[in-house]
Amino acid sequence: MSRSMEKIVALCKRRGFIFQNSEIYGGQNGFWDYGPLGTELKRNVRDSWYHDMVAAHNELVAPESAPSKYQMVGVETSLIMHPQVWKCSGHYDLFHDMMVDCRETKSRFRLDQIRCRTVRFEGETVKQDGTEATLDRVMVTSTAEDFEQDLTDQALKAFGKKKKYADRLQWEGDVSTLDKVDVEQFANVVAPGATKAGTLTAPREFNLMMKTIIGALGTDDDAAFLRPETAQGIFVNFKNVVDSSRVKLPFGICQVGKSFRNEITPRNFTFRSREFEQMEIEFFCRPDESAGWYKYWRDRRYQWYLDLGVSQDRLILRDHHAEELAHYSVGTADIEYAFPFLDEGEFGELEGVAHRGDFDLRSHMEGKLARNADGDLAVELNDDGKPKHRGSGKDLTYFDDQAKERFLPHVIEPSAGADRATLAFICEAYHEDQQPDEKGKMQERVVMQFHPRLAPVKAAVFPLIKKEGMPEKAAEVFGALKAAGLSCQYDQQGAIGRRYRRQDEIGTPYCITIDGDTMQDDTVTIRDRDSLEQTRISVQDVVAEVTGRLGSV
RNA sequence: GCGGAUGUAGCUCAGUGGUAGAGCACCACGUUGCCAACGUGGCUGUCGAGGGUUCGACUCCCUUCAUCCGCUCCA
């Protein structure tokens, strides 16, 4: 079986799943459009998620393996939020990085992460890139953890000296970081790992948040951002939801919606896009119960993909290592899929389940948090001792009227990518197999083996031939399926085998054919996409048979 | 952002400094009638975009956009 990404992308385009955005104008890097079938598919992904997580959740019964009963509600919040939201959440600071590229080593660095120090070596010189000049004083750099040692190594390497001459280096000034160095000086800087000086480009700002302007006469003062995640819309509405909807801890607030990030390198089809859709849950619970809920959501969300047909061989639940954790996170697990565009043994993130403690609610209460010298989270202060980004000042604590306690809930965040999930389901569905044609000769078949709940078209209806009343009868059956709310296609074009193959290629699970017998005894055949098995059923049972086979949708 | 490759019909691809091609798909008619059938006929192109060289550019040159691969980046 070949799962080459190229073939999957071609099929997506050919059959109207996914198109390049603005394609007739040459395309737009990092943006994709869903065609008719892709729209149905993605809607089924979203609907399945919302149905399984929220709509069908019974708050009166504790699911097996859940620590207790819980409630689930939804919100739908605006794409653009108050700019202060992003300052307090930490996105504003973290998304604005000054970066430099090295022309020699082809590597890219965050300016503030490069340590540097000026050095000379007894009249020895270093070549300058792009000129004939030789320098007797250069600034060496390091991104290593042990930068003191690394700076020494870099300096010796630059001057072409052996390690034993380390004590003959003449250092000037203290170790600094490159963001504090004037750009004019960059010609004398030896980049990490480089052999010549002056290979760094001028620093460029990488603004990962998408900026926009509010107001018809908007100036830069009216700058706002398109949200880089939907989660903050939930956090800032936490109090509203608690005050308005009689929810009691533990409960989750869910949201499905678009988010935007200026990814540096959009790549791999829809996997890394600049506009993408998230399906997020922020689950609020008592701090002392948070570990149990974290485990519950990890397993629950992993199982969700398996239940929708993703094979266990290609789906992993991976706990982050301690050093991989974001500064606020107590624990994070990724649900990852072995996409065909990745190397063997590599996985791409579909969803992150994070234990976020009280970080988010606290941030919006008190202001932007950062780790202090003791390693505790505290409001980040400016040099003048005032909060760097002031919070809302609103009380976001929760009063537990059973325990008579007031506290800040902890949060478990299962954050799924709707486009990534859709892409994973597409990749997972793609199969090539051999099926016999009418002469019994084996023919290559492309079949999208979508789980029936996700299949963009649930059933297709064919009259075996275009006359003898069959099209009319087929139209009746088609009408009944449509009236039942099922996404269906009617096709009387071409040979029957070709019509089956067309449906296989878009993953339609069931094909219903009206033939000569139908006209006699009012029965039709229903053909299964994966087994090719045909069963004869009564016309009046068609809707019940199809909905029955589809299961709960 | 860097390096390499690619871009021609709906799809897969050929092509040459001198009138744009094939197969498949699609549509119509006929024949057949349950797994990519056959016959006949038909439709389809800003040769990714912009500029330059040339009498003439799909072809040569420059720029640009997009996709893929490798680096890099990814709170």
Side-chain angles (χ1 to χ4, degrees), chain A residues 86-98:
Chain A
W86 307 114
K87 291 182 177 169
C88 290
S89 70
H91 289 86
Y92 182 84
D93 291 345
L94 288 165
F95 271 33
H96 286 76
D97 294 330
M98 297 301 284

Side-chain angles (χ1 to χ4, degrees), chain A residues 446-463:
Chain A
V446 172
V447 55
M448 294 297 279
Q449 297 188 334
F450 289 120
H451 187 285
R453 286 183 77 190
L454 300 178
V457 177
K458 306 300 185 194
V461 182
F462 311 143

